[in-house]
Amino acid sequence: MVDMETIVNLCKARGFIFQSSEIYGGIGSSYDYGPLGVELKRNVKEAWWKAMVSTRDDIVGLDSAIILHPKVWEVSGHIKNFTDPLVDCKHCKQRFRADDLEGDKCPACGGELTDARQFNTMFKTFVGPVEDDAAVAFLRPETAQGIFINFSNILASTRKKLPFGVAQIGKSFRNEITPGNFTFRTREFEQMEMEFFVMPGTDEEWFNYWVSERYNWYVKLGIKPDNLRMRPHEKEKLSHYSKATTDIEYNYPFGWGELEGIANRTNYDLSVHSEGSGKQLTYFDEASGEHIIPYVIEPAAGADRAALIFLIDAYDVETIEKGDKKDKRTVLRFHKSIAPVKAAVLPLLRNRPDLVETAKKLAGDLQKTFPTMYDDTASIGRLYRRQDEIGTLWCITVDVQTIEEDNKVTIRDRDTMDQIRMPIEGVKQYLRDKLEAED
Ligand code: GAP
């Protein structure tokens, strides 16, 4: 498996992810997505939205605010419970999450540690010009609460019947004690969460359904099943709202870690918000003629973690043998819907204006349908390697024969490196069919 250093270096060199505020020495655990990274993350979010919202009749979308009424966090239990146990080293003064440590000594210097105290990881801020207690607000630590507090609005406006879900993608913020491992754990990150409201009593069945749906989503998008596993949480380690949680874990270069969590949140959130707000967040069940509080199954994924594993899992170094010569190529074998660039158009000779013009025209035409790059800044062999390294699905070469003989171009497949020749007019439809074909 590839190591993290190689991934971090490739991300910087090719414009996927940069250390944030680098020119000022960088800010810990903050990252900026570069030109290719932003496309990659958009593709991840779009694939999630397509699977969770656009192709389903039973799930709708929402985009709620990041700063909610402070009462939301009090009632949801986050002010009291959204904490991590913090310890300090009495000797070197470093701070750690107590539940990350093995043993009772400082992992950095072996010094004695303080007793653990609970540290709330919500970011506090002030709303308005006066910084007093009445103006305190929080940046959301999960997108989920924005969904629960809109339950009645969504029910009344969509007339959905149980079971139905509400999905949301957006930034969340946590003042993590020990962020790290590149974009795996940061203080500002994007979540892709869905709250699926079900009849009480059907929750366990729906929980199992969503665990396998979500696992299959990653596999369908090319993640190797050997690098995925399910980890049910032990009862005593469940979050304050959960009856059962299963994590989908990934085998990161630094070991197995959470990728997504699927939780049975019971009727906890709707119940506490009904009580806290005095508004009945209930559902009228026509069969029984009663108002009930639905149970909730929540698949909660991270867009940054997903983008990271798509990068790690796609990374491959291949040895190519040509006669008795051996060569190496680095290739990101992204799934077609995740690849940031779908095609690259490359003129074989950059000093031939007719080749360049034809290649640019083709690239411009393809760009109207899918992300396409034009590049003539190196020899063809080097251009192929560059495109392989960013996972471009197809390289299309315009050569002298195109102009002088047959109006055909060569299409090279990223994975097999096989080449076919076809009329220039047919290229767009050919690639579009391939992109749209079911796996
Ligand atoms: N609403 C439930 C919830 O927030 P979670 O397991 O705390 O559950 C869901 O978060 C997902 O969000 C995680 O599986 C992970 O992918 C992502 N995530 C959580 N904290 C993160 C962090 N500090 N940095 C990056 N991603 C994070």
Side-chain angles (χ1 to χ4, degrees):
M1 166 169 292
V2 59
D3 56 50
M4 276 313 274
E5 198 185 338
T6 306
I7 290 291
V8 173
N9 291 342
L10 181 129
C11 280
K12 175 164 179 171
R14 305 316 314 271
F16 282 98
I17 303 173
F18 308 125
Q19 168 70 65
S20 185
S21 315
E22 196 186 274
I23 61 166
Y24 291 106
I27 173 163
S29 102
S30 269
Y31 295 93
D32 299 336
Y33 286 79
L36 290 177
V38 69
E39 298 291 340
L40 170 70
K41 193 146 75 127
R42 273 178 51 154
N43 290 346
V44 169
K45 291 186 282 183
E46 258 171 54
W48 186 88
W49 196 262
K50 190 170 166 201
M52 301 297 273
V53 183
S54 346
T55 56
R56 298 188 65 120
D57 283 331
D58 56 353
I59 303 181
V60 294
L62 179 76
D63 186 5
S64 69
I66 285 173
I67 297 176
L68 305 175
H69 195 295
K71 201 83 186 155
V72 171
W73 306 110
E74 186 192 318
V75 169
S76 67
H78 281 79
I79 289 182
K80 184 158 165 252
N81 299 314
F82 204 68
T83 56
D84 284 331
L86 172 70
V87 290
D88 297 80
C89 173
K90 290 183 183 169
H91 183 65
C92 72
K93 309 291 177 215
Q94 285 198 60
R95 291 189 163 146
F96 305 95
R97 250 178 85 159
D99 52 354
D100 280 346
L101 300 179
E102 283 168 20
D104 57 1
K105 292 277 180 274
C106 170
C109 74
E112 199 187 329
L113 298 169
T114 59
D115 288 339
R117 61 190 187 283
Q118 291 304 320
F119 170 73
N120 195 298
T121 57
M122 280 198 295
F123 273 101
K124 241 186 214 177
T125 187
F126 298 96
V127 172
V130 184
E131 296 194 0
D132 63 12
D133 284 352
V136 167
F138 300 92
L139 304 188
R140 68 180 175 200
E142 61 169 13
T143 64
Q145 295 304 320
I147 297 178
F148 298 127
I149 60 172
N150 275 294
F151 178 76
S152 294
N153 284 334
I154 291 167
L155 200 56
S157 56
T158 65
R159 311 224 153 265
K160 287 278 170 207
K161 300 271 177 254
L162 289 186
F164 75 92
V166 182
Q168 162 149 245
I169 298 177
K171 288 251 173 164
S172 292
F173 303 82
R174 295 181 192 176
N175 200 0
E176 300 279 3
I177 297 170
T178 44
N181 286 323
F182 199 32
T183 54
F184 174 79
R185 181 167 286 116
T186 51
R187 296 193 170 104
E188 170 185 343
F189 53 94
E190 248 178 310
Q191 289 189 306
M192 309 186 288
E193 298 200 289
M194 195 274 290
E195 310 303 319
F196 200 70
F197 300 98
V198 303
M199 287 296 284
T202 65
D203 49 306
E204 289 178 14
E205 202 181 306
W206 280 110
F207 177 77
N208 295 334
Y209 168 87
W210 279 111
V211 169
S212 69
E213 276 291 296
R214 294 302 306 144
Y215 177 91
N216 291 338
W217 183 76
Y218 292 104
V219 174
K220 200 168 164 222
L221 291 177
I223 300 299
K224 298 172 195 86
D226 281 354
N227 287 334
L228 291 171
R229 72 177 187 195
M230 317 271 206
R231 192 180 65 81
H233 285 208
E234 296 133 44
K235 284 265 175 283
E236 36 318 329
K237 296 232 168 119
L238 291 172
S239 312
H240 63 276
Y241 49 72
S242 174
K243 165 176 162 185
T245 297
T246 290
D247 283 349
I248 299 174
E249 292 192 334
Y250 184 76
N251 188 15
Y252 298 90
F254 48 84
W256 288 96
E258 181 183 342
L259 170 61
E260 163 160 1
I262 297 99
N264 182 343
R265 292 183 79 126
T266 69
N267 58 6
Y268 174 84
D269 301 273
L270 291 180
S271 302
V272 294
H273 284 305
S274 291
E275 219 177 293
S277 65
K279 309 273 181 332
Q280 285 309 302
L281 305 181
T282 54
Y283 173 86
F284 181 67
D285 176 33
E286 283 164 12
S288 65
E290 284 176 12
H291 289 271
I292 57 133
I293 302 185
Y295 268 46
V296 176
I297 308 302
E298 175 198 66
D304 305 274
R305 273 190 206 176
L308 179 62
I309 69 140
F310 280 116
L311 270 164
I312 295 169
D313 220 74
Y315 187 90
D316 191 20
V317 178
E318 187 181 35
T319 306
I320 309 161
E321 293 187 23
K322 258 197 200 153
D324 26 320
K325 261 186 150 186
K326 279 192 181 164
D327 198 6
K328 279 206 158 98
R329 70 164 183 148
T330 300
V331 50
L332 291 183
R333 299 188 191 276
F334 287 126
H335 184 271
K336 61 187 178 185
S337 55
I338 298 297
V341 183
K342 308 301 179 197
V345 186
L346 319 167
L348 200 63
L349 302 169
R350 66 180 138 159
N351 55 2
R352 279 273 304 252
D354 46 358
L355 261 73
V356 167
E357 192 192 333
T358 305
K360 281 190 174 165
K361 189 160 170 275
L362 176 60
D365 187 34
L366 298 181
Q367 275 162 1
K368 291 179 196 147
T369 313
F370 43 76
T372 304
M373 229 182 225
Y374 169 86
D375 196 0
D376 66 6
T377 56
S379 69
I380 192 71
R382 194 174 280 243
L383 292 179
Y384 280 157
R385 291 290 175 275
R386 270 192 211 160
Q387 294 298 330
D388 288 343
E389 214 178 285
I390 62 171
T392 304
L393 300 168
W394 300 287
C395 286
I396 304 155
T397 317
V398 175
D399 54 27
V400 177
Q401 207 180 321
T402 316
I403 308 296
E404 295 183 355
E405 288 176 37
D406 55 10
N407 206 32
K408 287 183 175 171
V409 290
T410 304
I411 304 182
R412 171 189 178 269
D413 181 273
R414 177 196 68 196
D415 295 328
T416 61
M417 292 188 287
D418 289 345
Q419 302 194 4
I420 56 160
R421 227 174 142 76
M422 68 154 48
I424 212 162
E425 310 78 43
V427 171
K428 189 168 174 175
Q429 193 57 47
Y430 173 78
L431 298 185
R432 189 192 248 173
D433 288 347
K434 279 188 162 289
L435 281 173
E436 285 173 6
E438 280 291 317
D439 294 303

